[in-house]
Amino acid sequence: MTKFFLVLHVLAAIVAVGPVTVAASMFPPGARRALADPGDQRAAETLRLLHRICRVYAGLGIAVPVLGLATAMSMGVLGDAWLIASMALTGIAAAVLLALVLPRQEELLEAVESAAGADATTEVAATTEVATGTGTTVAGAPIGATDTTTSTGVAANPRATVRLAMFTGIFNLLWATVTILMIVRPGSTTGA
């Protein structure tokens, strides 16, 4: 039964955590591209897809620690230091993903979508300005002026994408550390 749980645990880690680490890593540069060109629908669609991958596979990722606990119980290693450290790091990685990565992705996605809407409004206003000769939009803002602050107050700027990249890197580093601990198992008496 131990080998069965171990195989399921490893497969769940590959299938659930792998896509999250890749999609989360691709999101910040994609957000920078989408913010640089608000009219690029493909960039916005790519961001939506990457965020959906992160959200869905984060939910599926709960199978990894559940199957890991089942494996550890069948191996009798629940009290080993390497496993306790791995469980703690897994909890921290989950907290980073849920509290820092996913919400910032959502905020940047909102910013991209609002910038795309503002870009479309600017184009319509510019057409209106040409027809009326006023130089301002209906709202009174100068033509070309856009507000890139989302409803949550996060400015759509490169700093936000850099911060997201940092939190994503921390998440990925935590998972890499857990993987190393699972393979090396320092201090384990069950062999490598």
Side-chain angles (χ1 to χ4, degrees):
M1 196 61 148
T2 299
K3 289 185 183 197
F4 176 72
F5 284 135
L6 183 59
V7 167
L8 288 179
H9 174 62
V10 170
L11 285 174
I14 292 168
V15 171
V17 179
V20 175
T21 58
V22 173
S25 296
M26 292 173 66
F27 193 95
R32 282 190 285 276
R33 275 191 302 280
L35 289 168
D37 184 8
D40 186 357
Q41 277 300 107
R42 187 173 185 152
E45 290 169 5
T46 299
L47 281 186
R48 276 188 224 100
L49 175 64
L50 291 172
H51 179 62
R52 188 176 322 123
I53 289 169
C54 290
R55 249 189 11 252
V56 169
Y57 283 92
L60 295 175
I62 193 69
V64 176
V66 169
L67 291 167
L69 281 172
T71 304
M73 287 190 317
S74 69
M75 291 174 68
V77 294
L78 274 176
D80 286 9
W82 64 272
L83 185 66
I84 293 168
S86 293
M87 290 188 301
L89 291 173
T90 298
I92 294 168
V96 167
L97 180 65
L98 296 174
L100 301 172
V101 174
L102 292 177
R104 281 173 174 75
Q105 283 184 351
E106 289 170 9
E107 291 167 350
L108 281 167
L109 194 52
E110 278 181 30
V112 165
E113 289 170 349
S114 68
D119 188 48
T121 302
T122 301
E123 287 177 22
V124 169
T127 305
T128 305
E129 183 272 330
V130 168
T132 64
T134 62
T136 59
T137 63
V138 175
I143 297 283
T146 58
D147 179 14
T148 56
T149 303
T150 65
S151 61
T152 56
V154 173
N157 63 38
R159 283 185 69 132
T161 61
V162 169
R163 254 183 258 114
L164 175 60
M166 177 188 67
F167 291 132
T168 301
I170 291 168
F171 170 76
N172 291 341
L173 183 60
L174 287 165
W175 274 116
T177 305
V178 169
T179 302
I180 291 167
L181 284 172
M182 290 290 155
I183 293 169
V184 176
R185 300 186 319 189
S188 174
T189 58
T190 59

